[in-house]
Amino acid sequence: LYDGPKQGGHMPFALSLRTWWAVGVAPAGGMLVAGVFTHVRDAERALPGRDEAAPSVAAALGRFRACLRRPAAHRVGVALFCITSLSLVTNSASNAAAIQWFGYSNLQYGVDNTMSYVTLTIVLQLLKAYALHCDWRALFSSAIFGMQAFYASFLIVVWCCWARNGWFYVFLNIDNQVAYDVTFFLSVVMVPELVEPGLEGVTYGAFTTLTNAAQNVASAVSVQLLGVWPLSNAALAADTHETRADVTRLQVACCLAGLAAIPFTLLLPSQKHDCARLRDAPSSRTMADAVLALIVLGMLYGATMSILPIVPATSCLKLVGGSGCGAAAAADDDAPGAAYCA
């Protein structure tokens, strides 16, 4: 629907608030959103103990720290943080290269996003039926390796002119999504086996917080790698041998970071019996404080690396993915040589 005339697409229509049918769609969407919020509010009112006073922030943080003392929480939490922050480091220039090299359209981008949800549903159902009793560590490691292998296949697009096709790029992304779905499935399956009675919500919150902080770190590192091999739209459009070499180095660095996450799978439980062993292990206040510090540092790092590129005075820094400030940056913008693909 976004591949319309205003975006230079081929469809005769596009999703826009100016079209006549938006008069009916917009109110319907508003009613749907209002209905969801009304349902959630009514459900909250029906909860037992609703009239009780909400716990203070200090009490909630205390419960959170008590949860992290358990090895089932801090060991798996650290593993998920390290695995997520490393395996999700991506080549931030790949989409820009696809647009510059073979016109990666909005329609193809939409199909890519849609198929990611379709594959997630299919893969989760297959794993639920056939992979619940497998060795979780081996399956997690295989998924990470497969994700990086499919991710490295982007080098085919970089060096082979015949592979410069938007639909082939969509195919590569879907394959990568399938491997990622395996890691997502395992992280979900492990949590119920590690949860202790009375700490269900806190444990889920701990793992979610750690994973979100790790995703911010992975996004920040992905942007920072652009400062090592700066790839502007002009350089990608020129498509020189030097540009392709820089894209290759960036892609290899991202894949190596992803493969570095495999050793951390040893911290994960191998199966349900291992989860039971972790639940019975003694607690550690030191590890709880270390994990809390890891969460805070991950949040601060991700937030800082997200703000600096927005500020004009710091957006040119190589630390945040810029091409450098001052005369050095101007020298890097010289006209490149001949294009690799005619």
Side-chain angles (χ1 to χ4, degrees):
L1 290 178
Y2 288 95
D3 194 37
K6 291 184 178 299
Q7 290 79 21
H10 303 288
M11 289 188 174
F13 60 91
L15 187 62
S16 172
L17 294 177
R18 296 181 180 180
T19 54
W20 62 268
W21 53 270
V23 177
V25 174
M31 293 175 61
L32 177 62
V33 173
V36 170
F37 279 104
T38 302
H39 176 74
V40 172
R41 182 187 59 190
D42 294 341
E44 288 180 346
R45 290 175 177 175
L47 289 176
R50 177 65 180 175
D51 297 333
E52 298 178 1
S56 63
V57 175
L61 290 176
R63 284 174 55 85
F64 187 60
R65 184 168 179 261
C67 170
L68 292 178
R69 292 180 184 179
R70 310 299 300 177
H74 64 243
R75 176 174 168 175
V76 176
V78 170
L80 291 178
F81 181 91
C82 296
I83 291 172
T84 302
S85 59
L86 289 172
S87 63
L88 293 187
V89 174
T90 58
N91 184 350
S92 298
S94 59
N95 279 346
I99 294 173
Q100 295 293 334
W101 289 346
F102 46 84
Y104 187 52
S105 66
N106 291 327
L107 175 62
Q108 292 164 342
Y109 180 76
V111 171
D112 191 354
N113 286 337
T114 302
M115 290 304 299
S116 66
Y117 294 104
V118 174
T119 55
L120 175 62
T121 303
I122 296 174
V123 171
L124 290 184
Q125 292 299 323
L126 291 176
L127 292 174
K128 182 180 178 181
Y130 301 106
L132 283 178
H133 302 290
C134 297
D135 189 308
W136 291 342
R137 292 174 183 170
L139 191 58
F140 216 114
S141 300
S142 301
I144 294 174
F145 182 83
M147 187 164 58
Q148 301 309 317
F150 285 124
Y151 194 54
S153 59
F154 178 69
L155 296 177
I156 300 175
V157 177
V158 176
W159 292 102
C160 300
C161 297
W162 57 265
R164 295 200 163 187
N165 183 282
W167 296 112
F168 180 70
Y169 183 64
V170 170
F171 170 76
L172 295 180
N173 288 342
I174 293 174
D175 290 338
N176 187 25
Q177 180 66 32
V178 171
Y180 169 76
D181 293 341
V182 178
T183 63
F184 174 78
F185 169 79
L186 290 175
S187 62
V188 172
V189 169
M190 290 177 189
V191 173
E193 302 297 333
L194 297 168
V195 169
E196 298 182 25
L199 294 176
E200 294 87 351
V202 180
T203 305
Y204 275 94
F207 289 150
T208 302
T209 303
L210 279 164
T211 303
N212 291 341
Q215 289 176 351
N216 290 336
V217 172
S219 299
V221 173
S222 301
V223 173
Q224 284 184 293
L225 287 176
L226 287 178
V228 181
W229 298 285
L231 294 164
S232 62
N233 289 333
L236 292 172
D239 193 20
T240 63
H241 186 280
E242 292 77 10
T243 299
R244 287 171 174 256
D246 285 342
V247 174
T248 301
R249 296 186 187 99
L250 179 58
Q251 191 74 30
V252 170
C254 294
C255 291
L256 291 178
L259 294 176
I262 293 179
F264 291 99
T265 58
L266 296 176
L267 297 176
L268 299 174
S270 59
Q271 253 298 328
K272 295 182 179 180
H273 62 84
D274 208 6
C275 294
R277 182 181 61 81
L278 285 176
R279 287 198 303 267
D280 297 334
S283 60
S284 173
R285 181 178 300 179
T286 303
M287 286 302 301
D289 294 338
V291 174
L292 282 174
L294 187 65
I295 293 175
V296 173
L297 290 176
M299 290 181 173
L300 291 177
Y301 178 77
T304 302
M305 292 300 120
S306 298
I307 294 174
L308 289 179
I310 301 176
V311 181
T314 57
S315 60
C316 59
L317 295 174
K318 289 189 175 183
L319 178 66
V320 295
S323 57
C325 302
D332 292 338
D333 293 334
D334 294 339
Y340 183 86
C341 284

